[in-house]
Amino acid sequence: MSERTLAIIKPDAVKNNAIGDIIASYEKSGLTPVAMRMMQFSKATAEGFYSVHKARQFFDSLCTFMSSGPVVVLVLQGDNAIKTNRELMGATDPAKAAAGTIRKAHGANIEFNAVHGSDSPETAQFEIAYFFPLMEIAG
Ligand code: CMP
């Protein structure tokens, strides 16, 4: 079933010039970008995006990191896009991520982990709408 997921190439991966490599990984895995923007989050934008995590001890540090430099935000479309992207990203902690995954290749630790991907259809719907009006999404 074709579905959409939201991906973020985080500030660490942008700084490491990994944008092209990561987008190539999406495309090779059958995930087609249908919307994309490069931007820098304000702290408030990061806090709103990650509001489900606001009670976690890492919340402030996560939002500081996510607003520390430019990111690339994408909507990816493909068969089982949410699960496909989560498998492609690998475990949240790059030390536990399988070989061949984006986080294994580009992540440094559980905070500086290169990419984000939606974890469920409900989250994908919220996350896509957080950044993209429907009329800006191709297809
Ligand atoms: P992400 O997929 O963007 O979703 C939430 C983020 O919180 C996660 O990736 C990590 O970058 C971060 N995160 C999760 N657990 C921890 C942790 N224990 N310490 C620091 N950051 C974390």
Side-chain angles (χ1 to χ4, degrees):
M1 186 198 62
S2 184
E3 68 182 4
R4 288 172 175 170
T5 188
L6 187 95
I8 303 175
I9 303 175
K10 296 187 179 186
D12 56 335
V14 172
K15 269 192 203 90
N16 292 334
N17 296 318
I19 296 172
D21 192 68
I22 291 171
I23 293 177
S25 300
Y26 295 145
E27 292 182 323
K28 283 186 199 128
S29 301
L31 295 167
T32 305
V34 291
M36 177 159 67
R37 63 192 281 208
M38 188 163 189
M39 61 188 291
Q40 180 153 358
F41 293 176
S42 65
K43 187 92 181 284
T45 297
E47 287 168 353
F49 181 76
Y50 281 118
S51 61
V52 293
H53 296 304
K54 64 173 176 278
R56 312 292 288 271
Q57 49 83 22
F58 58 79
F59 181 69
D60 189 64
S61 172
L62 170 65
C63 295
T64 297
F65 163 58
M66 289 300 291
S67 56
S68 68
V71 299
V72 179
V73 189
L74 307 95
V75 179
L76 301 173
Q77 183 165 297
D79 285 343
N80 296 310
I82 296 167
K83 182 164 177 274
T84 300
N85 188 37
R86 291 187 71 75
E87 288 174 359
L88 176 62
M89 289 192 299
T92 305
D93 183 351
K96 297 183 182 139
T101 62
I102 293 172
R103 284 171 171 156
K104 183 72 176 180
H106 297 292
N109 56 52
I110 197 162
E111 180 164 73
F112 301 161
N113 66 353
V115 282
H116 168 82
S118 310
D119 65 3
S120 70
E122 297 70 33
T123 315
Q125 199 177 14
F126 165 78
E127 293 182 351
I128 291 169
Y130 194 78
F131 292 111
F132 297 100
L134 200 52
M135 69 176 189
E136 286 184 12
I137 302 175

